Amino acid sequence: MSDLQNPNTHLTAKERSTPSLPVRMVHERGLILGKVLDFGCGFGKDLDFLHQKGFDVQGFDPHYFPQYPSDTFDTILCFYVLNVLFPEEQNQVLMQISSLLKPTGKAYFAVRRDIQKDGFRTHQVHGKPTYQCFVKLPYTSIFLNENTEFYEYKHINQATDNQAKCPFCKPASRLILLAETPLSYAVLDGYPVAKGHTLIVPKRHMADYFELTFEEQKDMVQLSVFVQKRIKADFQPDGFTTGMNIGKSAGQKFPHAALHLIPRYTGDCKNPSGGIRAILK
């Protein structure tokens, strides 16, 4: 969604005199480690609290602290951000956080549980329409009451409780994860045919892409657009080839759908004319 459709998210930031409940709780539990990012930090009260506690912490907020992070982090905090975003915007935040998180790092999300109805309302202080919605995440819940829920997230290929046998359902920890959503993830291919060769994989075990739900298909497309920008920045390719192997006749080795995003470089083959059409020549 464009910012024009949901332009007042920054008005939901609260000017607090004390640090938030989520930051106090994760601090008391000893969950904040290493280099820290407060994603969607608003006016920065939690930043002040963490600085005072001696943490190496950075804040990002598209309105109040707009300098986007250039580093990766051991701990990322994202408190009461997702509830004021449209679903596509939520996905964008989740992709950004997963890409900013170090491989063995953890992120913590807090969402409101007291929202009765999704939609716009007139903000009591600012008198302008602000959006709010109920959010449920498929991550580990570490706290829940009638007003709020806290989640802990780590990269899918770092999960220790994943007992799946499929290498796409349980990607190897050695693989470099580029970004992740609740429905799909992107990793650099373990056996690349080119620098930056990336796989976009749905989390649900399904062999045929065309049998995925529309939401899953759309999610994979959104994720591919996100990681393509990173691949362009990291590898400077001259073009891309994208495609899927669906069925044994098409060369599919494992019965799990995957989209290949392959950077192309001038001179990487003698005659690129025809592109994908050349496969059957």
Side-chain angles (χ1 to χ4, degrees), residues 103 155 157 172-179 186-190 198 230:
H155 289 165
N157 62 334
S173 60
R174 64 178 176 82
L175 296 177
I176 297 174
L177 186 137
L178 299 181
V187 291
L188 290 179
D189 195 299
T198 297
R230 177 170 171 180

Side-chain angles (χ1 to χ4, degrees), residues 1-276:
M1 292 291 181
S2 76
D3 290 340
L4 294 177
Q5 294 173 294
N6 191 14
N8 298 321
T9 56
H10 64 286
L11 299 181
T12 62
K14 292 184 177 181
E15 293 196 61
R16 290 180 277 102
S17 59
T18 60
S20 68
L21 170 64
V23 79
R24 286 185 278 119
M25 194 199 78
V26 294
H27 174 253
E28 290 168 1
R29 293 190 180 188
L31 300 177
I32 303 177
L33 303 172
K35 190 172 180 65
V36 184
L37 173 66
D38 186 352
F39 192 104
C41 61
F43 294 106
K45 188 63 181 179
D46 287 350
L47 279 179
D48 294 340
F49 171 77
L50 293 173
H51 278 304
Q52 291 169 7
K53 295 295 182 180
F55 288 100
D56 178 10
V57 59
Q58 179 179 342
F60 169 72
D61 187 286
H63 188 82
Y64 301 104
F65 290 78
Q67 183 64 45
Y68 193 78
S70 59
D71 206 349
T72 55
F73 299 85
D74 301 286
T75 304
I76 300 180
L77 311 175
C78 183
F79 298 151
Y80 305 125
V81 172
L82 299 177
N83 290 109
V84 301
L85 301 177
F86 291 156
E88 291 87 350
E89 296 171 320
Q90 294 173 27
N91 237 25
Q92 186 73 16
V93 167
L94 295 174
M95 290 187 292
Q96 290 172 320
I97 288 176
S98 63
S99 68
L100 291 168
L101 190 66
K102 290 183 179 180
T104 57
K106 293 181 180 180
Y108 296 93
F109 298 89
V111 297
R112 289 176 53 190
R113 282 286 164 263
D114 57 350
I115 294 174
Q116 302 299 319
K117 183 179 180 181
D118 293 359
F120 284 92
R121 63 187 177 91
T122 300
H123 197 281
Q124 291 181 346
V125 175
H126 301 285
K128 294 184 178 181
T130 55
Y131 181 77
Q132 61 180 12
C133 65
F134 185 87
V135 174
K136 184 74 174 176
L137 295 174
Y139 306 143
T140 302
S141 178
I142 61 173
F143 177 82
L144 173 66
N145 65 19
E146 66 275 11
N147 296 316
T148 188
E149 185 167 10
F150 304 159
Y151 294 96
E152 180 183 86
Y153 159 82
K154 52 188 173 183
H155 289 165
I156 185 173
N157 62 334
Q158 300 299 323
T160 57
D161 57 349
N162 188 342
Q163 302 301 316
K165 302 298 183 183
C166 169
F168 291 98
C169 292
K170 185 181 180 180
S173 60
R174 64 178 176 82
L175 296 177
I176 297 174
L177 186 137
L178 299 181
E180 183 176 353
T181 75
L183 296 180
S184 57
Y185 67 89
V187 291
L188 290 179
D189 195 299
Y191 304 94
V193 299
K195 291 185 300 181
H197 180 178
T198 297
L199 293 177
I200 292 94
V201 183
K203 291 183 177 179
R204 187 163 67 97
H205 186 73
M206 183 65 66
D208 191 336
Y209 170 83
F210 297 109
E211 294 182 6
L212 295 171
T213 67
F214 176 71
E215 287 301 315
E216 289 170 317
Q217 294 171 345
K218 183 174 70 171
D219 190 89
M220 290 177 66
V221 172
Q222 186 181 7
L223 184 55
S224 69
V225 172
F226 180 85
V227 298
Q228 186 259 3
K229 295 176 183 177
R230 177 170 171 180
I231 294 169
K232 286 183 70 175
D234 290 349
F235 298 99
Q236 294 85 47
D238 301 304
F240 285 90
T241 293
T242 66
M244 303 181 192
N245 303 315
I246 303 174
K248 289 184 178 180
S249 297
Q252 186 175 19
K253 184 177 181 180
F254 296 101
H256 194 125
L259 169 65
H260 291 258
L261 181 58
I262 303 174
R264 300 299 301 271
Y265 303 89
T266 300
D268 62 5
C269 67
K270 290 183 178 180
N271 181 16
S273 178
I276 290 176

